[in-house]
């Protein structure tokens, strides 16, 4: 097919992107066909507009720090697992009630590959080396299964927590195959809905779309905030509506401790009448490179560490805590009606953020060049960009050691957020569950191991202990299995009972 007769030459020329067809005559018929298909599905003028706005926003925000415009989260919208202990049970019961009526869905952001972990497959398929060798996907699936059981036992009705999984173009097929191969981990196939986030081309600093080879554009996912456009384009909101979903828990695949559809968080948000809520962990070190939830010009948003001065990051309240301490962990609650408004009304108002990247490209001679410094941008939206539109926004603070341990990097000596740290934090949590339920551990000399292990400094090696989510969602129901008993590590508690594994894994 000739691009000039199909109107393609005119389309790319009008959009100021003629370089996309510069190698046309060197492409095979199949490559030509693929390129036509890619370009026909793309609104180049819209993409040019995205670039212009993103670059303008990027240059204006570079100059300006947020400090003067920020205020911390006010106490009246804050719920806390440590400061509101007397309310936790009520919130949990309210959440379980919603779950029992099949009104709660979970939405998993699973677009990321394990590139920084040194693997090419989706991060959810990663095994951090637990005694069970369960992957992140399996752990999360089993937490959903257990929560459905807890709600059914409490309310004597069958219920379902639908699981919406957003993948990227690179992870869709392998994710679907993985679930199919593992028989959906015991969940109903019809209640797991896969959909794909959008892609945007990478561009150089002049706004020209980059070619990664002679017949292919360099494409990248449009950020986890691409969620809202994907929800609209792929009919997901309609599916939720048909199922009667009223509340949605959104979270990121890489957190091994995530309490999927956490009934206490859901119940807190519902009881507060919130349309949007953010789960946070307390930021204890002012220089920790994590975004904080706060108000800017009276509206809620996440301010990145790079957007404020050190003086503001170090400010403390009268109780000694950091003033801006609400660390964002990509763990959110949305009411269905708010999410529908976001998808239908607010999404087009969201600006793209600019990420400067080293992007391999084909030069004018058709040679592949791998740059050693950033040569272009990828544009992305963030899932938290929509906080500003919430009429009733709440924040729920949880303990980091109980609920947040992301998997981002390969193992290394001083490694942070690695398979080892993820494995250790989960085993440490399960050790605490056993102790809280009245069990004890015995070391190799027959002595009781002192309570209570803390992994805060990351140096203590945890007791090897793993409890299947099918046995306990959040530490409940363990007394009859462990109370008054002494255990040798490695301890495994799963649906088949309590086992002590000796060194060779028997």
């Amino acid at each position: 097919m000739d691009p000039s007769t199909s109107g393609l030459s005119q389309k790319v020329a009008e959009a100021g992107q003629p370089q996309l067809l510069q190698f046309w005559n060197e492409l095979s018929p199949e490559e030509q066909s693929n390129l036509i298909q890619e370009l026909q599905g793309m609104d180049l003028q819209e993409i040019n507009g995205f670039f212009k706005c993103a670059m303008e926003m990027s240059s204006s925000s570079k100059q300006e720090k947020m400090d003067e415009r920020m205020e911390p989260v006010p106490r009246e919208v804050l719920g806390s697992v440590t400061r509101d202990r007397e309310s936790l049970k009520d919130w949990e019961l309210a959440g379980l009630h919603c779950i029992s009526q099949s009104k709660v869905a979970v939405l998993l952001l699973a677009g990321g590959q394990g590139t920084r972990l040194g693997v090419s497959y989706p991060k959810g398929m990663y095994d951090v080396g637990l005694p069970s060798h369960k992957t992140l996907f399996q752990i999360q699936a089993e937490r959903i299964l257990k929560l459905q059981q807890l709600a059914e036992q409490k309310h004597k009705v069958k219920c379902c927590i639908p699981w919406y999984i957003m993948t990227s173009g690179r992870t869709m097929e392998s994710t679907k195959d993985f679930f199919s191969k593992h028989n959906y981990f015991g969940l109903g196939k019809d209640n797991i809905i896969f959909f794909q986030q959008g892609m945007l081309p990478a561009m150089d600093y002049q706004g020209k779309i980059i070619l990664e080879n002679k017949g292919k554009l360099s494409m990248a996912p449009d950020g986890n905030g691409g969620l809202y456009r994907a929800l609209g384009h792929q009919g997901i909101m309609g599916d939720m509506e048909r199922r009667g979903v009223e509340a949605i828990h959104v979270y990121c695949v890489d957190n091994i401790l995530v309490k999927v559809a956490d009934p206490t968080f859901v119940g807190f948000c519902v009881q507060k009448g919130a349309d949007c809520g953010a789960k946070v962990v307390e930021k204890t070190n002012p220089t920790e490179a994590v975004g904080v939830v706060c108000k800017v010009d009276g509206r809620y948003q996440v301010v990145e560490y790079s957007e404020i001065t050190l003086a503001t990051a170090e400010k403390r309240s009268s109780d000694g805590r950091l003033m801006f301490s609400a660390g964002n962990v990509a763990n959110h609650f949305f009411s269905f009606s708010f999410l529908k408004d976001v998808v239908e009304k607010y999404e087009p108002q969201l600006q793209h953020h600019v990420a400067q990247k080293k992007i391999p490209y084909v030069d004018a001679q058709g040679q592949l060049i791998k740059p050693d410094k950033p040569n272009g941008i990828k544009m992305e939206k963030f899932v938290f960009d929509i906080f500003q539109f919430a009429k009733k926004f709440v924040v729920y603070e949880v303990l980091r050691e109980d609920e947040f341990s992301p998997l981002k990097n390969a193992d290394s000596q001083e490694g942070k957020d690695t398979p080892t740290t993820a494995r250790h934090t989960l085993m440490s949590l399960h050790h605490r569950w056993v102790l809280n339920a009245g069990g004890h551990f015995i070391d190799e000399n027959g002595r009781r191991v002192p309570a209570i292990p803390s992994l805060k400094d990351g140096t203590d090696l945890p007791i090897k202990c793993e409890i299947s989510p099918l046995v306990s969602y959040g530490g409940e129901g363990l007394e009859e299995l462990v109370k008054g008993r002494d255990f040798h590590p490695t301890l495994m508690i799963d649906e088949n009972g309590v086992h002590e594994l000796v060194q060779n894994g028997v």
Side-chain angles (χ1 to χ4, degrees):
M1 185 195 257
D2 181 347
S4 52
T5 54
S6 67
L8 209 52
S9 300
Q10 187 183 353
K11 177 178 171 173
V12 299
E14 284 174 359
Q17 304 285 357
Q19 78 286 356
L20 298 177
L21 295 175
Q22 65 182 321
F23 302 111
W24 179 261
N25 294 330
E26 300 174 39
L27 302 179
S28 70
E30 188 186 357
E31 288 169 331
Q32 288 180 345
S33 167
N34 289 342
L35 182 57
I36 286 174
Q37 204 177 352
E38 189 162 43
L39 289 172
Q40 279 175 338
M42 202 172 276
D43 185 336
L44 294 174
Q45 301 289 7
E46 180 184 54
I47 288 163
N48 287 344
F50 290 163
F51 174 81
K52 188 166 171 287
C53 292
M55 292 304 276
E56 281 168 8
M57 190 173 107
S58 170
S59 58
S60 66
S61 63
K62 269 201 186 80
Q63 316 317 315
E64 178 203 13
K65 293 283 186 188
M66 293 280 192
D67 305 51
E68 296 306 311
R69 300 159 52 204
M70 287 167 60
E71 30 177 333
V73 174
R75 181 67 179 102
E76 63 270 19
V77 305
L78 181 72
S80 164
V81 295
T82 52
R83 293 183 255 183
D84 294 307
R85 291 213 166 128
E86 69 293 341
S87 305
L88 296 180
K89 201 71 208 157
D90 284 348
W91 293 338
E92 183 185 16
L93 289 171
L96 275 175
H97 185 248
C98 290
I99 289 165
S100 74
Q101 296 177 306
S102 300
K103 289 180 176 175
V104 178
V106 286
L107 204 163
L108 164 59
L109 307 174
Q113 287 170 289
T115 316
R116 276 158 64 188
L117 292 164
V119 298
S120 59
Y121 50 79
K123 234 188 223 185
M125 288 163 54
Y126 197 85
D127 160 15
V128 301
L130 290 167
S132 67
H133 290 288
K134 287 177 182 175
T135 59
L136 296 176
F137 280 144
Q138 182 169 355
I139 291 167
Q140 292 163 24
E142 291 183 351
R143 286 181 187 147
I144 293 173
L145 264 172
K146 182 62 178 174
L147 198 47
Q148 288 177 171
Q149 283 174 10
L150 290 172
E152 286 169 6
Q153 284 162 4
K154 180 91 188 144
H155 292 279
K156 309 290 182 278
V157 288
K158 287 295 281 179
C159 68
C160 160
I161 301 170
W163 196 8
Y164 296 90
I165 299 178
M166 184 173 83
T167 68
S168 65
R170 300 190 185 122
T171 61
M172 175 63 110
E173 285 315 308
S174 43
T175 302
K176 285 171 87 166
D177 290 348
F178 189 72
F179 272 76
S180 171
K181 196 171 99 198
H182 289 88
N183 205 15
Y184 301 90
F185 304 106
L187 291 164
K189 178 184 176 180
D190 295 340
N191 299 321
I192 301 178
I193 301 94
F194 299 95
F195 67 107
Q196 195 169 310
Q197 77 185 99
M199 305 282 278
L200 282 173
M203 304 177 93
D204 69 16
Y205 294 125
Q206 282 66 52
K208 298 285 188 229
I209 292 172
I210 292 172
L211 288 172
E212 69 175 38
N213 64 39
K214 290 179 183 179
K216 188 160 180 9
L217 283 60
S218 175
M219 302 292 290
D222 56 1
N224 57 22
L227 164 68
Y228 307 113
R229 192 165 163 134
L231 287 172
H233 283 191
Q234 299 193 39
I236 301 297
M237 297 309 293
D239 187 87
M240 287 183 180
E241 197 155 18
R242 278 191 301 280
R243 291 171 183 267
V245 168
E246 293 180 9
I248 298 103
H249 176 225
V250 178
Y251 71 97
C252 237
V253 73
D254 62 5
N255 177 14
I256 197 169
L257 299 183
V258 67
K259 295 181 82 169
V260 186
D262 177 7
T264 315
F265 179 40
V266 169
F268 164 71
C269 293
V270 168
Q271 288 208 340
K272 294 285 182 190
D275 47 13
C276 181
K279 191 178 265 200
V280 299
V281 299
E282 185 178 1
K283 183 177 160 177
T284 51
N285 172 0
T287 59
E288 185 188 0
V290 62
V292 292
V293 179
C294 61
K295 279 177 137 174
V296 176
D297 299 334
R299 287 178 163 194
Y300 285 98
Q301 73 175 66
V302 173
V303 173
E304 297 295 349
Y305 173 65
S306 57
E307 295 176 309
I308 56 175
T309 62
L310 182 61
T312 296
E314 287 179 333
K315 276 187 183 166
R316 294 193 181 266
S317 308
S318 53
D319 63 0
R321 294 170 183 243
L322 289 174
M323 185 176 286
F324 295 102
S325 66
N328 176 52
V329 293
N331 194 316
H332 310 307
F333 166 95
F334 300 129
S335 71
F336 175 79
S337 54
F338 175 66
L339 192 55
K340 193 164 190 262
D341 280 348
V342 166
V343 169
E344 292 175 2
K345 290 189 215 163
Y346 301 129
E347 194 282 332
Q349 300 174 34
L350 298 178
Q351 297 285 344
H352 287 91
H353 304 263
V354 166
Q356 300 200 30
K357 300 278 187 183
K358 293 185 274 202
I359 304 162
Y361 66 98
V362 174
D363 68 9
Q365 284 69 50
Q367 297 295 311
L368 180 66
I369 309 290
K370 292 194 170 175
D372 51 12
K373 60 178 194 286
N375 63 316
I377 68 158
K378 293 183 178 179
M379 295 181 289
E380 51 191 10
K381 294 181 176 182
F382 298 147
V383 76
F384 52 71
D385 287 340
I386 52 91
F387 289 178
Q388 59 183 309
F389 303 117
K391 308 237 177 344
K392 172 80 178 177
F393 184 84
V394 295
V395 175
Y396 185 64
E397 185 185 74
V398 297
L399 293 171
R400 184 186 301 242
E401 57 265 39
D402 288 354
E403 294 204 34
F404 185 57
S405 181
L407 175 64
K408 297 197 181 296
N409 306 308
D411 274 321
S412 62
Q413 272 314 101
E414 295 302 309
K416 186 176 182 295
D417 301 339
T418 64
T420 296
T421 60
R423 181 173 70 250
H424 284 182
T425 49
L426 187 69
M427 292 199 298
S428 175
L429 175 67
H430 290 175
H431 180 183
R432 294 198 297 279
W433 287 0
V434 170
L435 294 176
N436 289 338
H440 296 278
F441 283 90
I442 304 291
D443 66 18
E444 58 272 25
N445 303 316
R447 286 197 296 266
R448 274 195 177 176
V449 176
I452 204 156
S454 166
L455 278 185
K456 281 198 174 136
D457 60 359
T459 53
D460 305 336
L461 282 179
I463 290 282
K464 285 187 174 165
C465 167
E466 184 186 356
I467 299 169
S468 166
L470 298 174
V471 173
S472 184
Y473 173 86
E476 81 295 330
L478 295 172
E479 286 84 355
E480 63 210 57
L481 295 170
V482 305
K483 192 167 186 178
R485 292 179 64 183
D486 289 339
F487 300 104
H488 294 87
T490 298
L491 176 67
M492 283 273 291
I493 303 178
D494 60 23
E495 58 278 28
N496 299 315
V498 179
H499 327 273
E500 290 178 3
L501 308 180
V502 293
Q503 288 320 97
N504 61 5
V506 175

